[in-house]
mmCIF file of all heavy atoms in Angstrom:
data_model
loop_
_atom_site.group_PDB
_atom_site.id
_atom_site.type_symbol
_atom_site.label_atom_id
_atom_site.label_comp_id
_atom_site.label_asym_id
_atom_site.label_seq_id
_atom_site.Cartn_x
_atom_site.Cartn_y
_atom_site.Cartn_z
ATOM 1 N N ASP A 6 116.348 85.216 96.581
ATOM 2 C CA ASP A 6 117.466 85.828 97.273
ATOM 3 C C ASP A 6 116.986 86.078 98.730
ATOM 4 O O ASP A 6 116.444 87.110 99.042
ATOM 5 C CB ASP A 6 117.773 87.202 96.586
ATOM 6 C CG ASP A 6 119.109 87.768 97.012
ATOM 7 O OD1 ASP A 6 120.001 87.020 97.259
ATOM 8 O OD2 ASP A 6 119.210 89.002 96.988
ATOM 9 N N THR A 26 119.939 82.147 96.596
ATOM 10 C CA THR A 26 121.210 82.871 96.880
ATOM 11 C C THR A 26 120.989 83.461 98.261
ATOM 12 O O THR A 26 119.947 83.993 98.671
ATOM 13 C CB THR A 26 121.467 83.952 95.919
ATOM 14 O OG1 THR A 26 120.326 84.775 95.710
ATOM 15 C CG2 THR A 26 121.897 83.434 94.512
ATOM 16 N N ASN A 28 123.269 85.877 101.397
ATOM 17 C CA ASN A 28 124.411 86.710 101.700
ATOM 18 C C ASN A 28 124.427 87.005 103.177
ATOM 19 O O ASN A 28 123.451 86.719 103.891
ATOM 20 C CB ASN A 28 124.471 87.932 100.797
ATOM 21 C CG ASN A 28 123.281 88.919 101.057
ATOM 22 O OD1 ASN A 28 122.919 89.112 102.193
ATOM 23 N ND2 ASN A 28 122.717 89.497 100.013
ATOM 24 N N LEU A 31 121.366 88.957 104.527
ATOM 25 C CA LEU A 31 120.136 88.151 104.545
ATOM 26 C C LEU A 31 120.145 87.213 105.782
ATOM 27 O O LEU A 31 119.120 87.028 106.456
ATOM 28 C CB LEU A 31 119.965 87.362 103.264
ATOM 29 C CG LEU A 31 119.702 88.250 102.035
ATOM 30 C CD1 LEU A 31 119.750 87.392 100.751
ATOM 31 C CD2 LEU A 31 118.351 88.953 102.088
ATOM 32 N N LYS A 83 130.083 81.442 97.301
ATOM 33 C CA LYS A 83 130.061 82.838 96.820
ATOM 34 C C LYS A 83 131.289 83.527 97.303
ATOM 35 O O LYS A 83 131.631 83.603 98.496
ATOM 36 C CB LYS A 83 128.854 83.520 97.431
ATOM 37 C CG LYS A 83 127.922 84.199 96.465
ATOM 38 C CD LYS A 83 126.728 84.720 97.277
ATOM 39 C CE LYS A 83 125.882 85.618 96.494
ATOM 40 N NZ LYS A 83 124.840 86.213 97.289
ATOM 41 N N PHE A 129 125.099 92.945 90.005
ATOM 42 C CA PHE A 129 124.089 93.503 90.835
ATOM 43 C C PHE A 129 123.431 94.698 90.202
ATOM 44 O O PHE A 129 123.874 95.847 90.165
ATOM 45 C CB PHE A 129 124.774 94.047 92.182
ATOM 46 C CG PHE A 129 124.997 92.994 93.262
ATOM 47 C CD1 PHE A 129 125.337 91.699 92.876
ATOM 48 C CD2 PHE A 129 124.926 93.304 94.525
ATOM 49 C CE1 PHE A 129 125.555 90.763 93.880
ATOM 50 C CE2 PHE A 129 125.118 92.387 95.558
ATOM 51 C CZ PHE A 129 125.490 91.054 95.218
ATOM 52 N N ARG A 132 121.713 97.680 92.607
ATOM 53 C CA ARG A 132 122.646 98.592 93.272
ATOM 54 C C ARG A 132 123.341 99.547 92.319
ATOM 55 O O ARG A 132 123.688 100.677 92.661
ATOM 56 C CB ARG A 132 123.689 97.723 94.099
ATOM 57 C CG ARG A 132 123.076 97.011 95.256
ATOM 58 C CD ARG A 132 124.096 96.488 96.231
ATOM 59 N NE ARG A 132 123.532 95.473 97.061
ATOM 60 C CZ ARG A 132 124.192 94.959 98.090
ATOM 61 N NH1 ARG A 132 125.385 95.294 98.343
ATOM 62 N NH2 ARG A 132 123.615 94.058 98.833
ATOM 63 N N ALA A 163 121.436 89.649 89.549
ATOM 64 C CA ALA A 163 121.184 89.790 90.999
ATOM 65 C C ALA A 163 120.772 91.183 91.335
ATOM 66 O O ALA A 163 120.844 92.129 90.483
ATOM 67 C CB ALA A 163 122.412 89.376 91.808
ATOM 68 N N SER A 164 120.298 91.387 92.646
ATOM 69 C CA SER A 164 119.886 92.725 93.117
ATOM 70 C C SER A 164 118.754 93.206 92.238
ATOM 71 O O SER A 164 118.779 94.333 91.799
ATOM 72 C CB SER A 164 121.126 93.686 93.094
ATOM 73 O OG SER A 164 120.753 94.940 93.660
ATOM 74 N N ARG A 166 114.938 94.345 91.566
ATOM 75 C CA ARG A 166 114.029 95.063 92.496
ATOM 76 C C ARG A 166 112.575 95.024 92.054
ATOM 77 O O ARG A 166 111.665 95.349 92.830
ATOM 78 C CB ARG A 166 114.437 96.508 92.553
ATOM 79 C CG ARG A 166 115.846 96.699 93.033
ATOM 80 C CD ARG A 166 115.929 96.751 94.569
ATOM 81 N NE ARG A 166 117.339 96.504 95.064
ATOM 82 C CZ ARG A 166 118.298 97.365 95.119
ATOM 83 N NH1 ARG A 166 118.020 98.648 94.756
ATOM 84 N NH2 ARG A 166 119.490 97.049 95.543
ATOM 85 N N THR A 183 117.970 86.107 90.362
ATOM 86 C CA THR A 183 117.663 85.886 91.775
ATOM 87 C C THR A 183 116.971 87.168 92.314
ATOM 88 O O THR A 183 117.326 88.272 91.912
ATOM 89 C CB THR A 183 118.918 85.579 92.652
ATOM 90 O OG1 THR A 183 118.467 85.125 93.893
ATOM 91 C CG2 THR A 183 119.889 86.724 92.767
HETATM 92 C C1 LIG B 1 122.837 88.156 95.225
HETATM 93 O O1 LIG B 1 123.364 87.120 95.258
HETATM 94 C C2 LIG B 1 122.722 89.174 96.279
HETATM 95 O O2 LIG B 1 122.476 88.496 97.491
HETATM 96 C C3 LIG B 1 121.565 90.092 96.087
HETATM 97 O O3 LIG B 1 120.948 89.968 94.896
HETATM 98 C C4 LIG B 1 121.806 91.485 96.573
HETATM 99 O O4 LIG B 1 120.661 92.245 96.342
HETATM 100 P P1 LIG B 1 120.356 93.619 97.092
HETATM 101 O O5 LIG B 1 121.069 94.717 96.321
HETATM 102 O O6 LIG B 1 118.860 93.738 97.051
HETATM 103 O O7 LIG B 1 120.800 93.508 98.532
#
Side-chain angles (χ1 to χ4, degrees):
D6 194 31
T26 49
N28 66 38
L31 293 170
K83 235 177 168 185
F129 277 35
R132 292 195 196 186
S164 185
R166 302 275 160 81
T183 192

